[in-house]
Amino acid sequence: MALVATACGDGSTSTTAGSAPADVSSSCPDPSGALVTKAKKEGTVVMSGPPTDTVRQQLPKAFEQTYGISLDYIGTSGKDNAARLQSERQAGIYSQDVFLGGADTMANTYHAQNWIAPLTGVLPASELDPKGWRGGTVPFVDADKKILSISKYVSVPIVINTDQVKADEITSWKDLLDPKWKGKIATIDPRSPGGAIYNVGMFQAADGYGDAFVKQLYKDQKPILITDSRQGTDDLAKGKYPIALGLGQLDVDTAADDGLPVKVVMPDLLQTTSGFGFLAVSDKPPHPEAAKVLAQWLACPDGNKAWNNAYGSISARSDVKPPADLPAWQVPQDGVDYFNTNSWEFLTKGVKDATELIKSLIGSN
């Protein structure tokens, strides 16, 4: 899936209201309803999300064309936005209405700091109907129902350079322990912010793997630690190393679509995640009515589809089909036992345990 876009200066994008409302699904906010009418009087809504060019360009435009409300989009990392919010809130400033972020930031910062409100007071009954979601369960992450997973997909497991590795050479994570791969495996540093630490947690939880395997892979095999997925994907394609772990879905998809010699191989352990697809609303939104419209739109079929198409992801809704150009392996399949990186226990305890283990093996970064 090739997504080509340009960055926007300071990471903030806004649209100008005035377009005619588009047709909307019956379960989405009514463009001529009372809520939207009140939201228009607020003039705008502010949302933070991933620093992804296609999201920056497409999502504000789609929302504004539907509801005639300007969307000020702040594209930034979870870590940077959390620091920004911390500074602002200490000064009594509340600048953002809606958040789309990663699991760790949402659970261990936004939720832990009580920066977000229960979505049961924001979303209508139609969006809280389990029938509308995959697996027949509304995918709240926490018991307080403040964080909703609106995307769900299989994480990129192992990526190889096809000029250097045959696909059938890697069918299990344990194949990476072959001495010939020592010092030749690149991995996003699991100590850095993001989902690379999830692999460690998956190994800890899996029968036949555990802490011993983590030591063998991350210490004894002397992997190359990298921090930038896009650069890592480019280096893999250039043959700087034959195998890479923890790369981003969009970077790998784009490289493959460009005809570069990279291929995802499917080992014995897989995990599901949501990436930046966790929705929350501020406990003190500066534009409360517009915040409700935006949150409801992102959770309903139309806005959920717009978000996932722009992000290059898969909807957690049962009535939104995956983009046709996404690889089939990225779609979670019924009957497959995936490691669930969205579980509250893992996010609030397992991530910490995995981080402590990896730091004990390779040191603090």
mmCIF file with all atom_site columns, all heavy atoms in Angstrom, residues 270-293:
data_model
loop_
_atom_site.group_PDB
_atom_site.id
_atom_site.type_symbol
_atom_site.label_atom_id
_atom_site.label_alt_id
_atom_site.label_comp_id
_atom_site.label_asym_id
_atom_site.label_entity_id
_atom_site.label_seq_id
_atom_site.pdbx_PDB_ins_code
_atom_site.Cartn_x
_atom_site.Cartn_y
_atom_site.Cartn_z
_atom_site.occupancy
_atom_site.B_iso_or_equiv
_atom_site.pdbx_formal_charge
_atom_site.auth_seq_id
_atom_site.auth_comp_id
_atom_site.auth_asym_id
_atom_site.auth_atom_id
_atom_site.pdbx_PDB_model_num
ATOM 1   N N   . LEU A 1 270 ? 2.326   -14.406 16.687 1.00 0.00 ? 270 LEU A N   1
ATOM 2   C CA  . LEU A 1 270 ? 1.881   -13.144 16.107 1.00 0.00 ? 270 LEU A CA  1
ATOM 3   C C   . LEU A 1 270 ? 1.139   -12.340 17.163 1.00 0.00 ? 270 LEU A C   1
ATOM 4   O O   . LEU A 1 270 ? 0.634   -12.890 18.140 1.00 0.00 ? 270 LEU A O   1
ATOM 5   C CB  . LEU A 1 270 ? 0.961   -13.395 14.914 1.00 0.00 ? 270 LEU A CB  1
ATOM 6   C CG  . LEU A 1 270 ? 1.574   -14.122 13.710 1.00 0.00 ? 270 LEU A CG  1
ATOM 7   C CD1 . LEU A 1 270 ? 0.487   -14.493 12.712 1.00 0.00 ? 270 LEU A CD1 1
ATOM 8   C CD2 . LEU A 1 270 ? 2.651   -13.283 13.049 1.00 0.00 ? 270 LEU A CD2 1
ATOM 9   N N   . GLN A 1 271 ? 1.060   -11.051 16.955 1.00 0.00 ? 271 GLN A N   1
ATOM 10  C CA  . GLN A 1 271 ? 0.387   -10.183 17.914 1.00 0.00 ? 271 GLN A CA  1
ATOM 11  C C   . GLN A 1 271 ? -0.528  -9.201  17.183 1.00 0.00 ? 271 GLN A C   1
ATOM 12  O O   . GLN A 1 271 ? -0.289  -8.837  16.029 1.00 0.00 ? 271 GLN A O   1
ATOM 13  C CB  . GLN A 1 271 ? 1.411   -9.410  18.749 1.00 0.00 ? 271 GLN A CB  1
ATOM 14  C CG  . GLN A 1 271 ? 2.330   -8.527  17.932 1.00 0.00 ? 271 GLN A CG  1
ATOM 15  C CD  . GLN A 1 271 ? 3.407   -7.862  18.758 1.00 0.00 ? 271 GLN A CD  1
ATOM 16  O OE1 . GLN A 1 271 ? 3.263   -6.700  19.123 1.00 0.00 ? 271 GLN A OE1 1
ATOM 17  N NE2 . GLN A 1 271 ? 4.479   -8.577  19.035 1.00 0.00 ? 271 GLN A NE2 1
ATOM 18  N N   . THR A 1 272 ? -1.583  -8.791  17.873 1.00 0.00 ? 272 THR A N   1
ATOM 19  C CA  . THR A 1 272 ? -2.461  -7.748  17.346 1.00 0.00 ? 272 THR A CA  1
ATOM 20  C C   . THR A 1 272 ? -2.254  -6.470  18.145 1.00 0.00 ? 272 THR A C   1
ATOM 21  O O   . THR A 1 272 ? -1.931  -6.498  19.331 1.00 0.00 ? 272 THR A O   1
ATOM 22  C CB  . THR A 1 272 ? -3.942  -8.155  17.431 1.00 0.00 ? 272 THR A CB  1
ATOM 23  O OG1 . THR A 1 272 ? -4.264  -8.519  18.779 1.00 0.00 ? 272 THR A OG1 1
ATOM 24  C CG2 . THR A 1 272 ? -4.234  -9.310  16.501 1.00 0.00 ? 272 THR A CG2 1
ATOM 25  N N   . THR A 1 273 ? -2.439  -5.367  17.459 1.00 0.00 ? 273 THR A N   1
ATOM 26  C CA  . THR A 1 273 ? -2.266  -4.060  18.091 1.00 0.00 ? 273 THR A CA  1
ATOM 27  C C   . THR A 1 273 ? -3.196  -3.070  17.409 1.00 0.00 ? 273 THR A C   1
ATOM 28  O O   . THR A 1 273 ? -3.934  -3.419  16.495 1.00 0.00 ? 273 THR A O   1
ATOM 29  C CB  . THR A 1 273 ? -0.804  -3.599  17.991 1.00 0.00 ? 273 THR A CB  1
ATOM 30  O OG1 . THR A 1 273 ? -0.625  -2.388  18.733 1.00 0.00 ? 273 THR A OG1 1
ATOM 31  C CG2 . THR A 1 273 ? -0.397  -3.350  16.548 1.00 0.00 ? 273 THR A CG2 1
ATOM 32  N N   . SER A 1 274 ? -3.147  -1.835  17.851 1.00 0.00 ? 274 SER A N   1
ATOM 33  C CA  . SER A 1 274 ? -3.958  -0.779  17.243 1.00 0.00 ? 274 SER A CA  1
ATOM 34  C C   . SER A 1 274 ? -3.114  0.398   16.764 1.00 0.00 ? 274 SER A C   1
ATOM 35  O O   . SER A 1 274 ? -3.661  1.366   16.243 1.00 0.00 ? 274 SER A O   1
ATOM 36  C CB  . SER A 1 274 ? -5.018  -0.281  18.238 1.00 0.00 ? 274 SER A CB  1
ATOM 37  O OG  . SER A 1 274 ? -5.875  -1.327  18.615 1.00 0.00 ? 274 SER A OG  1
ATOM 38  N N   . GLY A 1 275 ? -1.793  0.325   16.969 1.00 0.00 ? 275 GLY A N   1
ATOM 39  C CA  . GLY A 1 275 ? -0.957  1.448   16.579 1.00 0.00 ? 275 GLY A CA  1
ATOM 40  C C   . GLY A 1 275 ? -1.396  2.720   17.288 1.00 0.00 ? 275 GLY A C   1
ATOM 41  O O   . GLY A 1 275 ? -1.540  2.747   18.513 1.00 0.00 ? 275 GLY A O   1
ATOM 42  N N   . PHE A 1 276 ? -1.640  3.767   16.519 1.00 0.00 ? 276 PHE A N   1
ATOM 43  C CA  . PHE A 1 276 ? -2.163  5.020   17.063 1.00 0.00 ? 276 PHE A CA  1
ATOM 44  C C   . PHE A 1 276 ? -3.686  5.019   17.130 1.00 0.00 ? 276 PHE A C   1
ATOM 45  O O   . PHE A 1 276 ? -4.293  6.058   17.382 1.00 0.00 ? 276 PHE A O   1
ATOM 46  C CB  . PHE A 1 276 ? -1.703  6.198   16.191 1.00 0.00 ? 276 PHE A CB  1
ATOM 47  C CG  . PHE A 1 276 ? -0.443  6.871   16.668 1.00 0.00 ? 276 PHE A CG  1
ATOM 48  C CD1 . PHE A 1 276 ? 0.805   6.327   16.394 1.00 0.00 ? 276 PHE A CD1 1
ATOM 49  C CD2 . PHE A 1 276 ? -0.495  8.055   17.378 1.00 0.00 ? 276 PHE A CD2 1
ATOM 50  C CE1 . PHE A 1 276 ? 1.964   6.952   16.810 1.00 0.00 ? 276 PHE A CE1 1
ATOM 51  C CE2 . PHE A 1 276 ? 0.661   8.697   17.809 1.00 0.00 ? 276 PHE A CE2 1
ATOM 52  C CZ  . PHE A 1 276 ? 1.896   8.133   17.525 1.00 0.00 ? 276 PHE A CZ  1
ATOM 53  N N   . GLY A 1 277 ? -4.301  3.862   16.910 1.00 0.00 ? 277 GLY A N   1
ATOM 54  C CA  . GLY A 1 277 ? -5.749  3.811   16.816 1.00 0.00 ? 277 GLY A CA  1
ATOM 55  C C   . GLY A 1 277 ? -6.482  3.678   18.135 1.00 0.00 ? 277 GLY A C   1
ATOM 56  O O   . GLY A 1 277 ? -7.444  2.905   18.237 1.00 0.00 ? 277 GLY A O   1
ATOM 57  N N   . PHE A 1 278 ? -6.055  4.422   19.151 1.00 0.00 ? 278 PHE A N   1
ATOM 58  C CA  . PHE A 1 278 ? -6.756  4.462   20.433 1.00 0.00 ? 278 PHE A CA  1
ATOM 59  C C   . PHE A 1 278 ? -7.385  5.841   20.588 1.00 0.00 ? 278 PHE A C   1
ATOM 60  O O   . PHE A 1 278 ? -6.698  6.860   20.540 1.00 0.00 ? 278 PHE A O   1
ATOM 61  C CB  . PHE A 1 278 ? -5.793  4.188   21.592 1.00 0.00 ? 278 PHE A CB  1
ATOM 62  C CG  . PHE A 1 278 ? -5.264  2.789   21.606 1.00 0.00 ? 278 PHE A CG  1
ATOM 63  C CD1 . PHE A 1 278 ? -4.075  2.478   20.976 1.00 0.00 ? 278 PHE A CD1 1
ATOM 64  C CD2 . PHE A 1 278 ? -5.949  1.770   22.254 1.00 0.00 ? 278 PHE A CD2 1
ATOM 65  C CE1 . PHE A 1 278 ? -3.570  1.186   20.977 1.00 0.00 ? 278 PHE A CE1 1
ATOM 66  C CE2 . PHE A 1 278 ? -5.461  0.476   22.266 1.00 0.00 ? 278 PHE A CE2 1
ATOM 67  C CZ  . PHE A 1 278 ? -4.262  0.177   21.622 1.00 0.00 ? 278 PHE A CZ  1
ATOM 68  N N   . LEU A 1 279 ? -8.690  5.846   20.771 1.00 0.00 ? 279 LEU A N   1
ATOM 69  C CA  . LEU A 1 279 ? -9.466  7.086   20.836 1.00 0.00 ? 279 LEU A CA  1
ATOM 70  C C   . LEU A 1 279 ? -9.767  7.464   22.277 1.00 0.00 ? 279 LEU A C   1
ATOM 71  O O   . LEU A 1 279 ? -10.177 6.620   23.084 1.00 0.00 ? 279 LEU A O   1
ATOM 72  C CB  . LEU A 1 279 ? -10.781 6.898   20.069 1.00 0.00 ? 279 LEU A CB  1
ATOM 73  C CG  . LEU A 1 279 ? -11.818 8.016   20.174 1.00 0.00 ? 279 LEU A CG  1
ATOM 74  C CD1 . LEU A 1 279 ? -11.306 9.287   19.499 1.00 0.00 ? 279 LEU A CD1 1
ATOM 75  C CD2 . LEU A 1 279 ? -13.138 7.558   19.547 1.00 0.00 ? 279 LEU A CD2 1
ATOM 76  N N   . ALA A 1 280 ? -9.585  8.739   22.595 1.00 0.00 ? 280 ALA A N   1
ATOM 77  C CA  . ALA A 1 280 ? -9.957  9.269   23.910 1.00 0.00 ? 280 ALA A CA  1
ATOM 78  C C   . ALA A 1 280 ? -10.345 10.728  23.748 1.00 0.00 ? 280 ALA A C   1
ATOM 79  O O   . ALA A 1 280 ? -9.978  11.389  22.764 1.00 0.00 ? 280 ALA A O   1
ATOM 80  C CB  . ALA A 1 280 ? -8.807  9.131   24.900 1.00 0.00 ? 280 ALA A CB  1
ATOM 81  N N   . VAL A 1 281 ? -11.092 11.237  24.735 1.00 0.00 ? 281 VAL A N   1
ATOM 82  C CA  . VAL A 1 281 ? -11.538 12.633  24.729 1.00 0.00 ? 281 VAL A CA  1
ATOM 83  C C   . VAL A 1 281 ? -11.070 13.295  26.016 1.00 0.00 ? 281 VAL A C   1
ATOM 84  O O   . VAL A 1 281 ? -11.116 12.694  27.098 1.00 0.00 ? 281 VAL A O   1
ATOM 85  C CB  . VAL A 1 281 ? -13.072 12.715  24.610 1.00 0.00 ? 281 VAL A CB  1
ATOM 86  C CG1 . VAL A 1 281 ? -13.558 14.149  24.790 1.00 0.00 ? 281 VAL A CG1 1
ATOM 87  C CG2 . VAL A 1 281 ? -13.524 12.171  23.260 1.00 0.00 ? 281 VAL A CG2 1
ATOM 88  N N   . SER A 1 282 ? -10.626 14.525  25.895 1.00 0.00 ? 282 SER A N   1
ATOM 89  C CA  . SER A 1 282 ? -10.136 15.272  27.055 1.00 0.00 ? 282 SER A CA  1
ATOM 90  C C   . SER A 1 282 ? -11.205 15.411  28.130 1.00 0.00 ? 282 SER A C   1
ATOM 91  O O   . SER A 1 282 ? -12.406 15.551  27.832 1.00 0.00 ? 282 SER A O   1
ATOM 92  C CB  . SER A 1 282 ? -9.679  16.666  26.615 1.00 0.00 ? 282 SER A CB  1
ATOM 93  O OG  . SER A 1 282 ? -9.367  17.469  27.733 1.00 0.00 ? 282 SER A OG  1
ATOM 94  N N   . ASP A 1 283 ? -10.754 15.394  29.394 1.00 0.00 ? 283 ASP A N   1
ATOM 95  C CA  . ASP A 1 283 ? -11.689 15.629  30.493 1.00 0.00 ? 283 ASP A CA  1
ATOM 96  C C   . ASP A 1 283 ? -12.115 17.096  30.552 1.00 0.00 ? 283 ASP A C   1
ATOM 97  O O   . ASP A 1 283 ? -13.147 17.420  31.144 1.00 0.00 ? 283 ASP A O   1
ATOM 98  C CB  . ASP A 1 283 ? -11.052 15.220  31.827 1.00 0.00 ? 283 ASP A CB  1
ATOM 99  C CG  . ASP A 1 283 ? -9.807  16.032  32.152 1.00 0.00 ? 283 ASP A CG  1
ATOM 100 O OD1 . ASP A 1 283 ? -9.070  16.416  31.220 1.00 0.00 ? 283 ASP A OD1 1
ATOM 101 O OD2 . ASP A 1 283 ? -9.567  16.292  33.351 1.00 0.00 ? 283 ASP A OD2 1
ATOM 102 N N   . LYS A 1 284 ? -11.333 17.961  29.900 1.00 0.00 ? 284 LYS A N   1
ATOM 103 C CA  . LYS A 1 284 ? -11.670 19.390  29.851 1.00 0.00 ? 284 LYS A CA  1
ATOM 104 C C   . LYS A 1 284 ? -11.489 19.911  28.420 1.00 0.00 ? 284 LYS A C   1
ATOM 105 O O   . LYS A 1 284 ? -10.591 20.716  28.136 1.00 0.00 ? 284 LYS A O   1
ATOM 106 C CB  . LYS A 1 284 ? -10.800 20.183  30.831 1.00 0.00 ? 284 LYS A CB  1
ATOM 107 C CG  . LYS A 1 284 ? -11.022 19.789  32.294 1.00 0.00 ? 284 LYS A CG  1
ATOM 108 C CD  . LYS A 1 284 ? -10.165 20.620  33.235 1.00 0.00 ? 284 LYS A CD  1
ATOM 109 C CE  . LYS A 1 284 ? -10.415 20.217  34.689 1.00 0.00 ? 284 LYS A CE  1
ATOM 110 N NZ  . LYS A 1 284 ? -9.587  20.993  35.644 1.00 0.00 ? 284 LYS A NZ  1
ATOM 111 N N   . PRO A 1 285 ? -12.339 19.471  27.516 1.00 0.00 ? 285 PRO A N   1
ATOM 112 C CA  . PRO A 1 285 ? -12.188 19.884  26.115 1.00 0.00 ? 285 PRO A CA  1
ATOM 113 C C   . PRO A 1 285 ? -12.535 21.351  25.925 1.00 0.00 ? 285 PRO A C   1
ATOM 114 O O   . PRO A 1 285 ? -13.564 21.823  26.438 1.00 0.00 ? 285 PRO A O   1
ATOM 115 C CB  . PRO A 1 285 ? -13.173 18.983  25.379 1.00 0.00 ? 285 PRO A CB  1
ATOM 116 C CG  . PRO A 1 285 ? -14.222 18.667  26.402 1.00 0.00 ? 285 PRO A CG  1
ATOM 117 C CD  . PRO A 1 285 ? -13.491 18.577  27.708 1.00 0.00 ? 285 PRO A CD  1
ATOM 118 N N   . PRO A 1 286 ? -11.716 22.103  25.200 1.00 0.00 ? 286 PRO A N   1
ATOM 119 C CA  . PRO A 1 286 ? -12.030 23.517  24.964 1.00 0.00 ? 286 PRO A CA  1
ATOM 120 C C   . PRO A 1 286 ? -13.231 23.703  24.034 1.00 0.00 ? 286 PRO A C   1
ATOM 121 O O   . PRO A 1 286 ? -13.847 24.765  24.027 1.00 0.00 ? 286 PRO A O   1
ATOM 122 C CB  . PRO A 1 286 ? -10.746 24.053  24.323 1.00 0.00 ? 286 PRO A CB  1
ATOM 123 C CG  . PRO A 1 286 ? -10.073 22.848  23.757 1.00 0.00 ? 286 PRO A CG  1
ATOM 124 C CD  . PRO A 1 286 ? -10.408 21.723  24.666 1.00 0.00 ? 286 PRO A CD  1
ATOM 125 N N   . HIS A 1 287 ? -13.553 22.672  23.270 1.00 0.00 ? 287 HIS A N   1
ATOM 126 C CA  . HIS A 1 287 ? -14.710 22.728  22.363 1.00 0.00 ? 287 HIS A CA  1
ATOM 127 C C   . HIS A 1 287 ? -15.543 21.473  22.612 1.00 0.00 ? 287 HIS A C   1
ATOM 128 O O   . HIS A 1 287 ? -15.508 20.524  21.815 1.00 0.00 ? 287 HIS A O   1
ATOM 129 C CB  . HIS A 1 287 ? -14.249 22.794  20.901 1.00 0.00 ? 287 HIS A CB  1
ATOM 130 C CG  . HIS A 1 287 ? -13.168 23.810  20.661 1.00 0.00 ? 287 HIS A CG  1
ATOM 131 N ND1 . HIS A 1 287 ? -11.818 23.488  20.636 1.00 0.00 ? 287 HIS A ND1 1
ATOM 132 C CD2 . HIS A 1 287 ? -13.237 25.151  20.474 1.00 0.00 ? 287 HIS A CD2 1
ATOM 133 C CE1 . HIS A 1 287 ? -11.115 24.578  20.416 1.00 0.00 ? 287 HIS A CE1 1
ATOM 134 N NE2 . HIS A 1 287 ? -11.943 25.606  20.324 1.00 0.00 ? 287 HIS A NE2 1
ATOM 135 N N   . PRO A 1 288 ? -16.310 21.431  23.703 1.00 0.00 ? 288 PRO A N   1
ATOM 136 C CA  . PRO A 1 288 ? -16.955 20.193  24.143 1.00 0.00 ? 288 PRO A CA  1
ATOM 137 C C   . PRO A 1 288 ? -17.960 19.603  23.159 1.00 0.00 ? 288 PRO A C   1
ATOM 138 O O   . PRO A 1 288 ? -18.026 18.381  23.016 1.00 0.00 ? 288 PRO A O   1
ATOM 139 C CB  . PRO A 1 288 ? -17.634 20.601  25.453 1.00 0.00 ? 288 PRO A CB  1
ATOM 140 C CG  . PRO A 1 288 ? -17.737 22.093  25.408 1.00 0.00 ? 288 PRO A CG  1
ATOM 141 C CD  . PRO A 1 288 ? -16.548 22.547  24.645 1.00 0.00 ? 288 PRO A CD  1
ATOM 142 N N   . GLU A 1 289 ? -18.732 20.442  22.488 1.00 0.00 ? 289 GLU A N   1
ATOM 143 C CA  . GLU A 1 289 ? -19.721 19.907  21.550 1.00 0.00 ? 289 GLU A CA  1
ATOM 144 C C   . GLU A 1 289 ? -19.040 19.386  20.292 1.00 0.00 ? 289 GLU A C   1
ATOM 145 O O   . GLU A 1 289 ? -19.371 18.307  19.787 1.00 0.00 ? 289 GLU A O   1
ATOM 146 C CB  . GLU A 1 289 ? -20.761 20.972  21.194 1.00 0.00 ? 289 GLU A CB  1
ATOM 147 C CG  . GLU A 1 289 ? -21.476 21.587  22.393 1.00 0.00 ? 289 GLU A CG  1
ATOM 148 C CD  . GLU A 1 289 ? -22.153 20.551  23.265 1.00 0.00 ? 289 GLU A CD  1
ATOM 149 O OE1 . GLU A 1 289 ? -22.653 19.540  22.714 1.00 0.00 ? 289 GLU A OE1 1
ATOM 150 O OE2 . GLU A 1 289 ? -22.198 20.737  24.501 1.00 0.00 ? 289 GLU A OE2 1
ATOM 151 N N   . ALA A 1 290 ? -18.070 20.135  19.797 1.00 0.00 ? 290 ALA A N   1
ATOM 152 C CA  . ALA A 1 290 ? -17.334 19.696  18.614 1.00 0.00 ? 290 ALA A CA  1
ATOM 153 C C   . ALA A 1 290 ? -16.512 18.447  18.923 1.00 0.00 ? 290 ALA A C   1
ATOM 154 O O   . ALA A 1 290 ? -16.325 17.580  18.054 1.00 0.00 ? 290 ALA A O   1
ATOM 155 C CB  . ALA A 1 290 ? -16.431 20.818  18.102 1.00 0.00 ? 290 ALA A CB  1
ATOM 156 N N   . ALA A 1 291 ? -16.038 18.335  20.163 1.00 0.00 ? 291 ALA A N   1
ATOM 157 C CA  . ALA A 1 291 ? -15.290 17.141  20.571 1.00 0.00 ? 291 ALA A CA  1
ATOM 158 C C   . ALA A 1 291 ? -16.189 15.912  20.484 1.00 0.00 ? 291 ALA A C   1
ATOM 159 O O   . ALA A 1 291 ? -15.764 14.831  20.045 1.00 0.00 ? 291 ALA A O   1
ATOM 160 C CB  . ALA A 1 291 ? -14.759 17.311  21.989 1.00 0.00 ? 291 ALA A CB  1
ATOM 161 N N   . LYS A 1 292 ? -17.443 16.053  20.903 1.00 0.00 ? 292 LYS A N   1
ATOM 162 C CA  . LYS A 1 292 ? -18.381 14.931  20.814 1.00 0.00 ? 292 LYS A CA  1
ATOM 163 C C   . LYS A 1 292 ? -18.628 14.535  19.366 1.00 0.00 ? 292 LYS A C   1
ATOM 164 O O   . LYS A 1 292 ? -18.650 13.345  19.029 1.00 0.00 ? 292 LYS A O   1
ATOM 165 C CB  . LYS A 1 292 ? -19.706 15.303  21.479 1.00 0.00 ? 292 LYS A CB  1
ATOM 166 C CG  . LYS A 1 292 ? -19.662 15.404  22.992 1.00 0.00 ? 292 LYS A CG  1
ATOM 167 C CD  . LYS A 1 292 ? -21.031 15.763  23.555 1.00 0.00 ? 292 LYS A CD  1
ATOM 168 C CE  . LYS A 1 292 ? -21.003 15.896  25.068 1.00 0.00 ? 292 LYS A CE  1
ATOM 169 N NZ  . LYS A 1 292 ? -22.332 16.277  25.619 1.00 0.00 ? 292 LYS A NZ  1
ATOM 170 N N   . VAL A 1 293 ? -18.806 15.522  18.505 1.00 0.00 ? 293 VAL A N   1
ATOM 171 C CA  . VAL A 1 293 ? -19.044 15.220  17.092 1.00 0.00 ? 293 VAL A CA  1
ATOM 172 C C   . VAL A 1 293 ? -17.853 14.456  16.507 1.00 0.00 ? 293 VAL A C   1
ATOM 173 O O   . VAL A 1 293 ? -18.024 13.429  15.829 1.00 0.00 ? 293 VAL A O   1
ATOM 174 C CB  . VAL A 1 293 ? -19.296 16.508  16.278 1.00 0.00 ? 293 VAL A CB  1
ATOM 175 C CG1 . VAL A 1 293 ? -19.412 16.174  14.783 1.00 0.00 ? 293 VAL A CG1 1
ATOM 176 C CG2 . VAL A 1 293 ? -20.550 17.209  16.765 1.00 0.00 ? 293 VAL A CG2 1
#
